Amino acid sequence: MADNKQSANDGGRIPDVIGESVIRLDAREKAIGATQFADDFQFGPGLLYARILRSPHPHALIKKIDVSKAKALPGVKAIVTGDETPGFIGLYLQDRHIFCRDRARYVGDPVAGVAAVDEETAEKALELIEVEYEPLPGVFDPEFGVGPDAPLLHPDLGQYEVVNFVFPKPGTNISNHFKIRRGDADLAWAQCAAIVEKKYRVPHIQHVPIEPHVAVAKWDEGDNITLWGSSQSPFAQRNLIAKALGLSQSKIQVIAPVVGGGFGSKAGVSMEALAVVIAKAVKGRPVKLRLTREEEFFTTFVRQGLVAHFKMGCDKEGRLLAMENTYYWDAGAYTEYGVNMTRAGGYSGTGPYDVPNVKVDSICVYTNHPVGGPMRGFGMPELHSGLEQCVDDLAHHIGIDPVEFRQLNCIRGGDTVATGMTMHPIGLPECIDRVAKDIGWGKKSQPSAPNKRRGKGIAMMWKAPAMPPNAGSSAQITLSEDGTVTVALGGQEIGQGTFTVMAQMAAAALGVPYDWVKVATPVDTKYSPYEWQTVASRLTWSMGNAVVAAAKDARQQILDLAAEAWDEDPDNLDIVNGNVISYKTEESMPLKNMVIYGLPNPKGDGWIGKPVLGRGSFMPTYVTGLDAETGQGPRAVVHYTTGAQAVEVEVDMDTGRVEVLRAAAAFDMGKAINPEMVKAQMEGGLVQGISTALFEALKLKNGVVTNPSFVDYRIATTADVPHELFSEIVEVPQDDGPWGARGIGEHSMVPTIPAVANAIFDAVGIRMESPPYSSEKVYLAMMDAGIVK
């Protein structure tokens, strides 16, 4: 065997224990570049590279595709089109083919895919594919899209497979219409002392994770598929791709390493199925598809746009009497996810307020824009953006302080929400008080210069996990000979700290030190226990319940074994710091070895016990359906996380620049399993919310994204973080959560836009129809209002 020592001049490469292969791979590395060398080392020298030909039209019939010239290009191994993908794919609504067949519905819709020996060859092949299109009129505004003059984008809507809680309207561009009817809003208006009516828009934005979408697929001769992908939803990908291709789910293995940023963009299926279909054409060879940064902006999920109409009124004491809110969701060309966002926007359409008379229409509209999908907050940042500004205006109109108005009207435990569900105990009033105190509400601050004005704003929020009623979690606990613990689970780590929290829960429930516990990675659908998806801020609650159940299962097996060995009642035993102890006899025994080999039979013959394997699962079986016409039902959601944010801003009167100086966030997450991580989520979400309030928007012109790069699409940096940040933890336990915990990951981004908007209004007295509140937009609004000249 070769010497395994690393020489001084080998540049830190792989030790030469693998012999001559190092020399051969080094030579290949010089020829093809370091990136492809790394790919070859992981997936083998047979790895192919894929690129996608995309529609340049927002809406067009595909009349003809000629791939003959591209196929003749040296290095091209396969070309696929919609002919290979007759099936439909989608999570809640199956409304798209993996590759376009008869028509393209947005700029970027995948028309053909190429597999070649390298990306450069694949790109050249795309240029040789000839496609004949027949451009069609487009829909670029959701309000226009629901009208009679709009072209029909999905003529076959009535034939699509859809879940039973989504209500498409065949013959229209409406893929879901969710309604709430409570009390009688029409009669209530006459009783109102003050009424506010406003229209607000929220633009599309991009998630912009630092790591772009990337997937590697291999389809072997036995029709077994392995998919490696940066994914929040490995089990959902397995299921959806299998159904679309007519395969058994057991034929697909999805391996999902740690994700380099997701925020919802890597949930469900976006580009991963493309790689799988291309791999089918080159069986036995893995195919890698990596999106460019430009593609990332408009060919994967974007946060959908919203046009919202609000009407709300209160009595002379300031108590809300009625709301009538209509939401037109610009969900893009395909709405497999948009339909559920629309549903969430419907049942949460009043915001966290106690309102006796409610009329809400939440409408999902097909447009020829990029595909709307899940993003941090799942429709709640968009919904609250305008709603919380209207609440402020109503408070001012009736002459009540905005903080007092929210305290008077906010939802509390025991109240009946708009869907008829009884609200569980929450700490929203305390959240409001804390953020108001943190920023010195009611005290006017002096600006830093004569040409600047300061203002303070507040907003509150609620959000439920937007998921089907049967979204399940499962977990397994195994122990090694030395007593250390491995937790197997199917939820994904996307930077939110879920692996840390699951290890904490397992350690606490089992009775071992935290540093004895590790989480098995990567998530692999062939070996990992099932998890619906890493979305909806549900893992601490749902997967946490499964992990605790698995740990308790393992714990009980250990206690039963010790009880038999000691001839004791298991109820008198405990596991503390990795040792089984008896409160009756004060005996103690370490977990080492017994959890694998068992213990000697106290009767003298043989052994007792077995290798310990804990299993746990959880599903919220108590969520009920809602009436399609009224939205009423006993329990619409599993729970709500509530909270509030307050900010202080300074507006430059010469330039319109808005700077957030101080910001406070308070959320009731039931129980903070890891308080430092909770605070990090609250702070990170607030900064991301500031980014969407001040900077971010996809600029769309006739369906074309005109700013698909970081040159023209700005996101917040450390320079934009407020000088002072306050993060307040409020804990009112959830009855079905582990240690009372609820989620907090998405919620911290929800109220930021309206909090900033309300602070700008407090500073200079202007309202703008839509974020972002850029320097130019603010300055022009001040000019229109006659504040500056």
Side-chain angles (χ1 to χ4, degrees), residues 478-532:
T478 57
L479 291 94
S480 301
E481 290 85 348
D482 60 0
T484 54
V485 179
T486 298
V487 181
L489 41 77
Q492 183 63 286
E493 177 61 65
I494 56 174
Q496 82 280 43
T498 194
F499 286 175
T500 299
V501 169
M502 293 304 118
Q504 285 183 265
M505 289 186 179
L510 185 56
V512 301
Y514 166 75
D515 58 7
W516 284 23
V517 183
K518 69 176 182 179
V519 174
T521 58
V523 176
D524 185 332
T525 59
K526 190 173 182 178
Y527 304 107
S528 301
Y530 175 82
E531 179 61 53
W532 177 61

Side-chain angles (χ1 to χ4, degrees), residues 50 55 309 334:
S55 170
H309 295 261
Y334 307 101

Side-chain angles (χ1 to χ4, degrees), residues 4-7 10-19 21-23 25-26 29 37-38 41:
N4 197 25
K5 292 182 180 179
Q6 202 169 317
S7 66
D10 67 4
R13 297 182 186 275
I14 302 163
D16 59 4
V17 66
I18 57 176
S21 62
V22 166
I23 299 173
L25 287 172
D26 275 351
E29 178 188 12
F37 166 71
F41 186 77

Side-chain angles (χ1 to χ4, degrees), residues 2 55 88 167 224 227 265 267 278 305 315 323 329 363 397 417 445 447 467 483 645 666-667 718:
S55 170
F88 288 89
F167 310 111
N224 298 297
L227 174 63
S265 71
I278 297 171
D315 63 20
M323 275 193 190
W329 299 90
I363 303 167
H397 195 86
V417 305
S445 302
M467 62 188 201
Q645 287 178 344
F667 291 89
T718 53

Side-chain angles (χ1 to χ4, degrees), residues 202 205-206 263 303 375-377 380-382 385 645 647 660 663 667 680-697 713-717 720-722 725 745-757 760 771-773:
V202 181
I205 66 172
Q206 233 305 321
F263 310 110
R303 191 176 81 178
M375 185 177 176
R376 192 175 195 175
M380 295 302 103
E382 303 96 294
S385 174
Q645 287 178 344
V647 301
V660 181
F667 291 89
Q681 286 297 308
M682 292 164 67
E683 292 166 1
L686 193 151
V687 172
Q688 193 171 13
I690 290 173
S691 187
T692 62
L694 299 183
F695 308 123
E696 294 187 50
Y713 187 98
R714 188 186 165 190
I715 60 175
T717 68
D720 303 300
V721 176
L725 279 174
E746 297 173 84
H747 311 80
S748 52
M749 187 177 168
V750 171
T752 316
I753 292 176
V756 171
I760 294 171
Y773 309 122

Side-chain angles (χ1 to χ4, degrees), residues 290-309:
R290 179 182 59 189
L291 299 190
T292 66
R293 179 56 65 183
E294 183 176 357
E295 286 178 304
E296 194 74 26
F297 272 95
F298 63 93
T299 70
T300 64
F301 290 136
V302 301
R303 191 176 81 178
Q304 56 192 26
L306 174 66
V307 180
H309 295 261

Side-chain angles (χ1 to χ4, degrees), residues 534-770:
T534 301
V535 296
S537 299
R538 55 182 283 281
L539 290 192
T540 296
W541 163 75
S542 181
M543 192 167 73
N545 274 325
V547 167
V548 169
K552 287 182 176 179
D553 182 29
R555 181 180 183 275
Q556 192 61 52
Q557 294 175 43
I558 295 168
L559 295 181
D560 288 344
L561 173 61
E564 184 178 354
W566 289 345
D567 193 23
E568 285 206 49
D569 187 335
D571 291 342
N572 293 329
L573 306 182
D574 201 354
I575 303 176
V576 178
N577 204 31
N579 293 280
V580 181
I581 62 171
S582 167
Y583 291 117
K584 182 178 180 181
T585 66
E586 298 187 357
E587 285 189 77
S588 177
M589 175 171 49
L591 298 184
K592 183 177 181 180
N593 292 328
M594 66 174 288
V595 293
I596 296 293
Y597 303 122
L599 294 170
N601 191 328
K603 298 178 181 179
D605 294 322
W607 290 71
I608 56 174
K610 57 188 175 183
V612 173
L613 172 63
R615 296 181 176 90
S617 58
F618 174 76
M619 182 183 290
T621 56
Y622 36 78
V623 176
T624 61
L626 301 177
D627 185 89
E629 293 302 317
T630 66
Q632 299 300 299
R635 188 159 182 175
V637 298
V638 290
H639 59 250
Y640 280 97
T641 294
T642 58
Q645 287 178 344
V647 301
E648 182 176 19
V649 305
E650 189 168 68
V651 180
D652 189 316
M653 306 299 287
D654 294 335
T655 65
R657 179 177 181 268
V658 177
E659 182 180 6
V660 181
L661 303 175
R662 285 197 291 174
F667 291 89
D668 171 19
M669 71 295 303
K671 173 65 177 178
I673 303 298
N674 189 311
E676 290 306 310
M677 284 188 171
V678 166
K679 289 182 177 181
Q681 286 297 308
M682 292 164 67
E683 292 166 1
L686 193 151
V687 172
Q688 193 171 13
I690 290 173
S691 187
T692 62
L694 299 183
F695 308 123
E696 294 187 50
L698 285 175
K699 298 177 182 178
L700 285 154
K701 185 176 182 180
N702 295 326
V704 178
V705 175
T706 63
N707 60 332
S709 77
F710 286 128
V711 174
D712 300 306
Y713 187 98
R714 188 186 165 190
I715 60 175
T717 68
T718 53
D720 303 300
V721 176
H723 305 307
E724 292 183 89
L725 279 174
F726 302 90
S727 298
E728 301 275 5
I729 293 174
V730 176
E731 297 176 310
V732 177
Q734 182 66 33
D735 59 355
D736 65 346
W739 290 276
R742 290 185 290 271
I744 183 57
E746 297 173 84
H747 311 80
S748 52
M749 187 177 168
V750 171
T752 316
I753 292 176
V756 171
N758 289 337
I760 294 171
F761 180 83
D762 184 51
V764 296
I766 59 170
R767 290 282 185 200
M768 291 156 282
E769 186 182 64
S770 173

